[in-house]
């Protein structure tokens, strides 16, 4: 297997500046002013080796292939995003693997969509419902940039009104009222498939768990993930003073055919 | 696409009891006494629908396809394992996706191996070094049970002595002295590839970060993930009294060709 | 000012063994079998210097004056106790200082009573309500051992039925239904006095805060304190693997005369 | 005992605005412009009932007796302060009670001094070393405002050069190099007295614990306190998004006469 070591026509490239900010730019685009980068012609990136540096205007950038952290850092935000610490838990706890078919609602800015579609790969499928067309359009732009759109089906649809797909491997609900979609979710899941709800409020968790318990689900579990960065300095190490106090609670459950 | 809805000859099945304990049993095995399950013939599982129940002896089990959480819960432990909360971060922060080639050292009981090989899929590859043959043999059994062994190459090899592979997408070091392997890791990684070290002690983090800073790596970051379960009871919700105080610190870095 | 450097007749002494376990023994007691210590005559402790060691049977103990941590560690438990991390917050956030008059309900095993009465000192007063005589009797024994009973008035009384005292500096409610006592608490507090509720469940916090907001209280705040021990070992430092996941939420509020 | 229910000449009053900001003003002061309050004559506060409201300019304030949280919130900051969550632990773990004699170094802005002197009361004593006169002068102003200066002895002195006091009940070290003061601290403590170091960095903790272990101390323990605020809103409850990631590690130890 030979690897693509230099930038090709059509690649989206992650430009990382010295402050670790990431800018995603596709080499098919024309000369333009790119926010944070400046005016330049993306075609100039072609043939540069991945891992090398390029100076554009007064700034120097590392040129890297787009990895998941780049796609997330470079994502343009419109709505609140699901953080990597939380989408990572969703991947493992919902057993998202290559080839799986996964539904999420809503799509927001497409941050979870980015992670899900990266993991299910070319053989998998992500279906994303949102009842706001502006979010769908915005997520579409982000997924186009990160070259993941081919695995994603975006639908303007309210998940609490019903789910048209069946035999889904996992359903992730990031909406204010997930309990209203849970009966539909049970029907749409394949046996052994996973349901996940993401909610910032305890009251949302309680309503969701109450609804989940009315349906044939097992291994119901609610967790919270707290991420703490450690700063390794010259004089010693300490936790970072900056820390996000809260994002959301994740509730997981697994469909069975019926409980007695 | 039609899904396999009933248990087939050759499947490994997750038997989940009412206390959520998971037992992994392959239908190719013969009648035997299975710990936690009792004496029975695994072939009796064939043709049961996934998601249905079966009583074996005095216990009733849900029959489920093996998902990542099952493979981890059902794993037989010999060494300390990397917990799902931490392996999840590794997946996202190292951008492990289908088709990637990843090296880990050491293999331990194969818990991280299970997650990595589930995510890289059939088109990917996990290379696992360990300098203890007993760990390799033990991990091999676990990976055989979870039917992931075809994507894993187990090697009795000390990663601090060198890495024979090149152009690796990610290298994860779970050894007591990761700093001794870091120069080899830099060479073995593809540009833009990720290095990760997992260490319980601050002193290990400091030595690793110091060594990483001597080589062309960017976006160096150390984090700790704290998982907190929430108990949703009849009278209300609270965090679980049981909580693991610590597992390990995760340090991530990304290879570039050179720094000036 | 000369300090009492050696053990006197009538002192309660903290005997600390090599595993840091604490046994509180009063020198007025007669020869007996003391749990964890063995058979001996407490009068033998007299004239030993504080800070010195004494061997009793096969064990060696450090002889120390009874400090707050000793009184808490040596406390005999009957009910769930309020942990030092939480009672510490109550002291500071309710401004418990020497000479203050404080009411708590219920008394439980007397752990918070121990801390409150240590801090209000000889010139202060702690009034402790409990509607179970067995808890009152049990707490009384603990307070007798730690020589704090002279500052405490124990009452068999249900705080949700009313508070007979007035002009209290602080009221701390550690009962399952604190909201039922809050109207009484407002009346019984002096202007500027503090109310505190301690509750393990979010639903209890919500009902308490809702009730507090109906009365003239300001600076309403709910906090949770997470204590993490660090283990400093020979090879390096790490957080302890053992950690209590949760104790209770503390809600604080301050009485004013009226809100407009 | 009759309580002072209205503001008297000479009182320092806590003015609390609707955003819970606290301004400490002494009624002995003359008409002036007070930051956050505006121009007014503090003598106008006399005879107002504590707990009542007063409008000054366009703002309305609650008038409250100065409690510990007011003294800390109203403190003018010059250096990094020790937070209430941490000073609370120091009080309980060092058994600071009325009448005790406690030494702290350095004084900083006087935040820990405020708490310590509030708790030791009129019969106790706080000795505060700092080797910067500007910090001493600044802390003195804060302690004058909160009317606690009579219990505090401020000294321009480097604690690593020696401690002149003896038989101290507790010593708290909030300096960058606490290990250099530990031999002096052991000598200056009474048997059974407590040592505490407060340090942001793990390396400082390690050096301190190493030094403590060279001297006759027992019950050596390092802890970190994480405070999390809960927001009780109309739609439900959640942890606050704002959270301080780290303040410092607290190490506690207790003097004994000698170890064998």
């Amino acid at each position: 297997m030979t690897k693509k070591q230099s930038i090709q026509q059509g690649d989206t490239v992650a430009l990382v500046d010295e402050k670790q900010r990431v800018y995603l730019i596709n080499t098919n685009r024309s000369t333009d002013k790119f926010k944070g980068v400046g005016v330049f012609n993306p075609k100039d990136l072609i043939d540069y080796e991945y891992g090398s540096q390029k100076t554009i205007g007064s700034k120097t950038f590392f040129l890297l292939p787009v990895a998941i952290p780049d796609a997330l850092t470079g994502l343009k935000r419109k709505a609140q995003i699901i953080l990597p610490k939380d989408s990572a838990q969703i991947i493992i706890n919902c057993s998202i693997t290559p080839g799986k078919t996964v539904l999420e609602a809503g799509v927001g800015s497409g941050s979870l969509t980015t992670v899900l579609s990266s993991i299910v790969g070319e053989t998998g499928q992500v279906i994303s419902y949102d009842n706001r067309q502006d979010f769908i359009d915005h997520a579409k732009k982000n997924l186009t940039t990160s070259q993941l759109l081919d695995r994603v089906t975006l639908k303007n649809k309210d998940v609490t009104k019903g789910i048209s797909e069946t035999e889904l491997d996992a359903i992730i609900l990031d909406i204010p009222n997930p309990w209203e979609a849970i009966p539909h979710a049970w029907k749409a899941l394949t046996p052994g498939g996973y349901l996940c709800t993401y909610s910032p409020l305890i009251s949302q968790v309680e309503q969701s768990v109450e609804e989940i318990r009315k349906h044939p689900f097992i291994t119901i579990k609610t967790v919270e993930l707290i991420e703490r960065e450690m700063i390794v300095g010259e004089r010693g190490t300490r936790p970072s003073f900056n820390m996000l106090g809260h994002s959301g609670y994740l509730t997981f459950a697994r469909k069975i055919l019926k409980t007695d």
Side-chain angles (χ1 to χ4, degrees), chain A:
Chain A
M1 184 184 69
T2 57
K3 292 227 180 182
K4 193 174 61 174
Q5 294 284 5
S6 63
I7 297 170
Q8 309 292 312
Q9 170 91 35
D11 284 8
T12 291
V13 181
L15 282 74
V16 183
D17 72 12
E18 57 185 10
K19 288 184 178 171
Q20 325 276 24
R21 282 175 299 217
V22 176
Y23 308 94
L24 303 181
I25 293 176
N26 190 287
T27 52
N28 281 338
R29 295 190 60 185
S30 309
T31 301
D32 203 346
K33 184 176 180 181
F34 295 87
K35 204 184 164 188
V37 178
V39 178
F40 89 113
N41 183 354
K43 284 176 188 55
D44 293 349
L45 297 172
I46 295 169
D47 290 338
Y48 269 84
E49 270 190 288
Y50 277 112
S52 68
Q53 294 172 72
K54 180 174 169 57
T55 300
I56 299 170
S58 60
K59 287 179 72 178
T60 299
F61 298 90
F62 289 103
L63 309 178
L64 294 167
V66 180
I68 296 178
D70 302 318
L72 294 174
T73 311
L75 191 95
K76 291 196 168 47
R77 295 188 189 195
K78 189 181 175 76
Q80 199 63 23
I81 70 159
I82 294 188
L83 296 173
K85 73 177 176 79
D86 294 317
S87 55
Q89 299 309 309
I90 293 170
I91 295 303
I92 299 305
N93 281 287
C94 291
S95 198
I96 311 297
T97 52
K100 291 283 177 78
T101 304
V102 182
L103 183 141
E104 65 156 357
V107 72
S109 301
S111 63
L112 179 61
T113 329
T114 298
V115 174
L116 293 172
S117 59
S118 296
I119 302 294
V120 299
E122 293 172 5
T123 60
Q125 176 74 358
V126 178
I127 301 130
S128 298
Y129 284 17
D130 207 298
N131 55 9
R132 281 183 56 177
Q133 189 60 38
D134 57 337
F135 283 142
I136 291 175
D137 295 341
H138 182 82
K140 196 170 185 172
K141 276 183 208 158
N142 277 323
L143 294 163
T144 303
T145 303
S146 52
Q147 305 190 298
L148 293 164
L149 190 61
D150 56 327
R151 307 147 187 203
V152 182
T153 307
L154 292 157
K155 293 191 175 184
N156 187 331
K157 203 161 166 9
D158 181 345
V159 75
T160 66
K161 299 280 187 283
I163 296 173
S164 27
E165 290 78 10
T166 56
E167 297 190 4
L168 294 167
D169 293 304
I171 297 176
I172 295 105
L173 300 172
D174 173 22
I175 57 172
N177 49 343
W179 52 91
E180 295 186 27
I182 287 170
H184 311 307
W186 184 82
K187 280 180 212 142
L189 282 169
T190 193
Y194 284 92
L195 171 69
C196 171
T197 65
Y198 172 86
S199 301
L201 298 172
I202 292 285
S203 54
Q204 293 170 310
V205 171
E206 290 172 341
Q207 280 193 264
S208 298
V209 169
E210 192 185 355
E211 185 64 32
I212 290 170
R213 286 178 178 158
K214 291 179 186 162
H215 302 271
F217 282 109
I218 59 168
T219 58
I220 306 165
K221 186 178 172 176
T222 301
V223 295
E224 173 187 31
L225 267 287
I226 302 170
E227 181 177 314
R228 207 173 188 199
E229 189 177 351
M230 300 298 290
I231 306 297
V232 182
E234 294 219 347
R235 290 176 45 243
T237 302
R238 61 166 175 80
S240 171
F241 299 135
N242 296 315
M243 182 171 167
L244 182 65
H246 182 59
S247 57
Y249 297 102
L250 291 165
T251 298
F252 299 101
R254 197 170 188 193
K255 174 177 173 168
I256 50 167
L257 291 177
K258 58 170 182 175
T259 45
D260 297 326

